[in-house]
Amino acid sequence: MERGCKTAKRLGKKTDLYMLVALHMEKSPMCVSPSDKFNKSGIVVCESDKIHKVVAVGCSRENLHAVQHIILSVPRSLRNCTVYLSRKPCATCATFLIQDSVSSVYYWPMAPELKGEDSAVEEELKQVDQMFVRSQISISIFLPSTDFDVSKISERIRRHKCRNCHSHNAEAVPKDMEKIMSLLNMQDRKMMCVSQMKKALHCLNYLLHCTHGEFEKKEEDDVEKMHVHALQLCYLLAARSDDPDRGVGCILYNQNGYFFGAGYNGYPIGAIYANLPCGGRHNKKKPGTAKGPVLIHAEANALLFRFSKKIEENDVLYCSKPPCSECQNYIQYVGIKKIISVQESSQSSSDQQVS
Ligand SMILES: O=c1ccn([C@H]2C[C@H](O)[C@@H](COP(=O)(O)OP(=O)(O)OP(=O)(O)O)O2)c(=O)[nH]1
């Protein structure tokens, strides 16, 4: 029987994906600085076990820091979870993370969450380090490894081209890296750090692209911006898919913008791809070569991995492509009535009600 075949070009590790998602959460229309003393920030929390299931995605909002917002709103403890932050946390966030017994904290080496006089910021960051050392919770800078051709990953996610793609949402390494590296006590590794940051941001900007549709034109509308942002998160998730032909990402949000599930299409956890079929549907003449039965769709994974079983009236499923009929059945069965996806063939995004 013809089995294993081409391996998918994808983001190397789930941890890399999570840091990119934390960075992109700062761009959420819901993300605001808690006050003029703090920078806004993004957060991703995942289980520390082998599966690394995402349990929370968020940002600073409603006058709360990202860490505070997640710890106060997620209906479970973050005990033993790994936390990815877009900035080094302030002392208050450090106390929240320590009290909730997370297992480790990683942050992107941008300006820290706390703003103000350099000496005051430096002093507080030292306290943060000391608190983590005493609590035996690790905290460190994390830079995704992005030594691959990102265009090869993108090819599997988007099937059409958009002329605005590369000018969208571009994020660059901050100009004051000298100062930031000194605050983060990283002067000796500045060159390496900056070079890895540039590569990771290039990868992030490339993967986000745009949503190729109507949403882009309605820049003034917060709801539309929210849709664009959520669909971009789907694109990011899709970059980790191990389907050799097609990367798809899916996110579940409730009516208040709380995330409660994320999935991308792929083989079951821990699968050894070489032993599994990867052919398309049309390969009917060779039994056992079609990937269909063994490859789980992004929507199914998001529903399986969701951390709240209860579905509310206005919950939304975002997906980087319209769900197939089988997935529509699952979605309908669990009670989700609204699907928002990027339209495949035309230049507009789709907003679909499932009855
Ligand atoms: O938050 C998550 C985590 C995982 N998956 C799904 C995708 C895939 O169907 C399966 C396994 O994911 P992945 O291939 O990333 O994990 P792995 O098998 O542990 O990967 P590796 O190849 O690194 O061993 O779980 C999700 O949908 N959402």
Side-chain angles (χ1 to χ4, degrees), residues 10 12-14 18 50-54 237 240-242 262-271 273 296-298 301-302 305:
R10 62 174 187 160
K13 295 194 203 111
K14 271 180 258 195
Y18 297 159
K50 187 185 171 302
I51 304 170
H52 282 320
K53 179 176 118 172
V54 187
L237 287 167
R240 174 69 195 159
S241 151
D242 51 24
Y264 40 92
N265 56 335
Y267 292 100
I269 296 152
Y273 315 127
I296 309 157
H297 287 194
N301 267 330
F305 280 104

Side-chain angles (χ1 to χ4, degrees), residues 39-62:
N39 283 304
K40 57 183 185 175
S41 60
I43 182 171
V44 172
V45 182
C46 71
E47 306 267 17
S48 300
D49 59 3
K50 187 185 171 302
I51 304 170
H52 282 320
K53 179 176 118 172
V54 187
V55 295
V57 173
C59 56
S60 41
R61 52 185 282 202
E62 293 159 275

